[in-house]
Amino acid sequence: MSEEVKKFKITIDGQETEVAPGTTILEAARQIGGKSVPPAMCYYKPLETSGGRCRTCLVEVSKGSEADPRPMPKLVASCRTGVMDGMEVKNLTSEKTQEARKAVTEFLLVNHPLDCPICDQAGECHLQDLGYEHGVEQTRTEFERRTFEPEDIGPYIKLHMNRCILCARCVLAANQLTEKREHGILFRGDHAEISTYLNKALDNDFYGNVIDVCPVGALTDRTSRFASRVWFTKPMNASCSCDKCSGKAVLWMKGDEVIRVTARQDQYGESEEWICNSCRWDKKDVKYWNIEGPRHIDRHSVISLNHYQKAADEPVLLDNPMAKQISTKDEAQAEEQK
């Protein structure tokens, strides 16, 4: 009979949980949930070796462990730092963490163009969320923004290198999902860019997933460019019979029209199951799919607001600050009392 593995206790923003040895601080925070979860622009759980590049997940470790209670001298990347027994971490409650995250956000926006009004990623962009929370009104840099010439990487994917933050998610996805990768990071330093060798087009049954893993608008779907704002569409869970993938996807619909097809993602924007190119582009018609019902968007987003879904026990403030809308749960209790 094998011995039971002892779990480590970790406290994040005053909330305690137990995790298995080898768990990172970020995954421990996700186990707790809520606003104590650090943001992540490069970490992507389904992709091996992801993380450690963007530094948006920096946290303060105020207590290393029970054995060595000394605080860590510097902020650490929560996606790459393992949990120790008795560790105490500060995320929201740390001024140093918030200042560092604000600085990282400013750094990411140094070269990023302010084209949210025309970007297809607007409304589901992680950098847009960070910019809204930690961004400043104007840049402090005096240099011109880095720009790149447009590059054609195929008929289905649009590469907008000016928006890229070099998180390398797309490269890792191509490495781990396909047998042959045609693109990667070329050059070094401030000249680094995502590109294909000799302008070769991407060609593989699963390369469309690089669109889903991109946290910004650097890689977008050509077939749905400028078709509709994401908050004007309704995400629907759907499935089909496919011999290449599970056939489980999300249809983004406007009326009866399928604007685009994506993989199903969790509250952190990470794909639950990869889908093939055939499901993504060859089946953009309702007749190919079995519609299962509306897709609940877990992460805070404009996609979830003013739509068909609302949390049953979530009170909504009205125009009158003294008034309060009765939730569905309260209404049900009132009916029972009658």
Side-chain angles (χ1 to χ4, degrees), residues 168-223:
R169 282 183 179 181
C170 61
V171 179
L172 293 175
N175 270 340
Q176 297 170 32
L177 290 178
T178 66
E179 298 178 355
K180 184 179 179 182
R181 172 171 59 85
E182 289 90 1
H183 78 292
I185 300 178
L186 305 184
F187 312 117
R188 301 179 66 182
D190 62 346
H191 296 290
E193 62 176 292
I194 299 292
S195 183
T196 57
Y197 186 62
L198 296 179
N199 294 329
K200 185 177 181 180
L202 301 184
D203 184 19
N204 193 279
D205 285 340
F206 284 85
Y207 76 82
N209 289 284
V210 300
I211 298 174
D212 293 339
V213 303
C214 183
V216 294
L219 292 167
T220 53
D221 191 338
R222 274 184 182 271
T223 64

Side-chain angles (χ1 to χ4, degrees), residues 10-56:
I10 179 174
T11 304
I12 302 175
D13 288 342
Q15 303 172 88
E16 186 178 281
T17 186
E18 291 187 350
V19 297
T23 305
T24 62
I25 296 176
L26 179 59
E27 286 300 324
R30 288 183 174 183
Q31 183 170 309
I32 293 175
K35 294 185 177 181
S36 293
V37 181
M41 296 290 293
C42 63
Y43 176 76
Y44 206 82
K45 187 177 180 180
L47 299 176
E48 297 177 5
T49 71
S50 66
R53 291 180 174 86
C54 71
R55 289 301 191 258
T56 58

Side-chain angles (χ1 to χ4, degrees), residues 234-241 247 249-261 278-293:
K234 290 187 177 182
M236 307 292 286
N237 282 334
S239 60
C240 70
S241 58
V250 176
L251 307 185
W252 298 81
M253 303 183 65
K254 192 172 183 181
D256 295 330
E257 180 185 3
V258 179
I259 301 296
R260 62 173 181 152
V261 181
S278 178
C279 290
R280 187 182 299 272
W281 289 306
D282 298 339
K283 300 179 180 180
K284 293 182 69 172
D285 196 312
V286 180
K287 65 181 181 181
Y288 297 111
W289 298 92
N290 174 33
I291 306 296
E292 300 172 0

Side-chain angles (χ1 to χ4, degrees), residues 4 6 113 123 276 308:
E4 185 178 353
K6 179 185 176 183
C276 65
Y308 49 86

